[in-house]
């Protein structure tokens, strides 16, 4: 791999990882020696500076993270705040109902009930702070079990999940749920 390809590879991994990535993991993922990563990060930041990019690579202890520059924080924050207050899609409402009525549940349980992959919808519900990690199950693979949050209760105007309408009422509006209940 050429040096330019190495820079692009590091940039792609930093972008995809999305959070601080330890130097050791970055080195293993890219096949680039840890000592060379400092030089690549410097060149990547130089490229961002020269093009007046909104991006930069931060060194955080023994990790690197691709991030936006501080001066763009107000605009970025505004987008995230707007996203948290947006209306839930029917897929999100369906996923939320499956979790609320069966919690704590794993992603694979939600996928089975819905019949489709729920990863993106689940991530959005976590981002909106309607769902959170409850625990890791003590089974092979240690999957995460999810539950609703206090914010869920607040948003839906209930004090506990016991205040949810009975499933018999929900089944009239959402027939998918009746197919999954015994």
């Amino acid at each position: 791999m050429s040096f330019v390809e190495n820079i692009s590879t590091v940039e792609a991994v930093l972008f995809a990882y999305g959070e601080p990535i330890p130097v050791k993991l970055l080195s293993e993922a890219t096949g680039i020696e840890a000592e060379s990563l400092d030089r690549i990060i410097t060149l990547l930041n130089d490229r961002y500076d020269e093009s007046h990019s909104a991006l930069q690579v931060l060194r955080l202890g023994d990790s690197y993270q691709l991030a936006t520059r501080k001066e763009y924080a107000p605009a970025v924050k505004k987008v995230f705040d707007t996203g948290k207050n947006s209306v839930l899609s029917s897929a999100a409402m369906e996923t939320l109902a499956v979790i609320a009525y069966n919690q704590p549940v794993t992603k694979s349980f939600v996928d089975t009930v819905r019949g489709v992959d729920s990863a993106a919808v689940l991530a959005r519900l976590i981002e909106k702070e309607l769902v959170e990690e409850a625990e890791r199950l003590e089974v092979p693979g240690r999957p995460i079990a999810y539950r609703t949050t206090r914010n869920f209760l607040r948003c839906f105007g209930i004090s506990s999940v016991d205040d949810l309408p009975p499933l018999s009422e929900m089944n009239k509006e959402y027939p998918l749920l009746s197919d999954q209940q015994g």
Side-chain angles (χ1 to χ4, degrees):
M1 200 173 347
S2 74
F3 194 73
V4 172
E5 289 172 322
N6 283 347
I7 293 172
S8 295
T9 300
V10 168
E11 181 179 38
V13 171
L14 289 169
F15 175 80
Y17 201 73
E19 55 188 61
I21 182 169
V23 172
K24 183 178 180 191
L25 179 56
L26 182 58
S27 176
E28 291 170 3
T30 60
I32 301 168
E33 293 181 18
E35 299 77 38
S36 299
L37 286 174
D38 282 332
R39 185 167 164 230
I40 288 172
I41 297 299
T42 298
L43 291 172
L44 193 52
N45 274 328
D46 289 347
R47 181 192 294 172
Y48 291 147
D49 289 342
E50 289 169 13
S51 67
H52 304 286
S53 174
L55 302 176
Q56 64 182 335
V57 179
L58 302 174
R59 176 80 188 229
L60 305 168
D62 67 341
S63 299
Y64 289 111
Q65 182 174 16
L66 184 63
T68 55
R69 296 181 189 276
K70 287 180 184 177
E71 58 265 31
Y72 300 103
V76 172
K77 183 180 183 320
K78 193 172 189 179
V79 168
F80 280 102
D81 288 346
T82 301
K84 281 189 177 179
N85 296 325
S86 62
V87 177
L88 293 175
S89 67
S90 59
M93 288 296 287
E94 184 179 90
T95 301
L96 198 51
V98 170
I99 294 168
Y101 280 96
N102 298 285
Q103 61 188 311
V105 298
T106 63
K107 179 190 159 304
S108 65
F109 177 86
V110 175
D111 292 349
T112 300
V113 171
R114 293 190 62 233
V116 296
D117 180 52
S118 302
V121 175
L122 187 56
R124 187 83 170 125
L125 293 172
I126 291 168
E127 176 185 307
K128 289 177 169 284
E129 299 175 353
L130 295 171
V131 173
E132 66 185 2
E133 181 178 324
E135 61 187 322
R136 284 202 175 262
L137 301 180
E138 295 295 330
V139 297
R142 297 195 30 105
I144 298 170
Y146 296 94
R147 65 178 171 222
T148 55
T149 63
R150 284 187 218 182
N151 189 46
F152 164 82
L153 298 175
R154 185 185 59 76
C155 289
F156 285 87
I158 57 177
S159 57
S160 121
V161 291
D162 296 331
D163 296 336
L164 288 169
L167 271 177
S168 57
E169 289 179 33
M170 293 298 293
N171 291 339
K172 292 174 190 170
E173 191 169 348
Y174 299 99
L176 174 67
L177 291 174
S178 63
D179 295 342
Q180 303 304 319
Q181 301 300 320

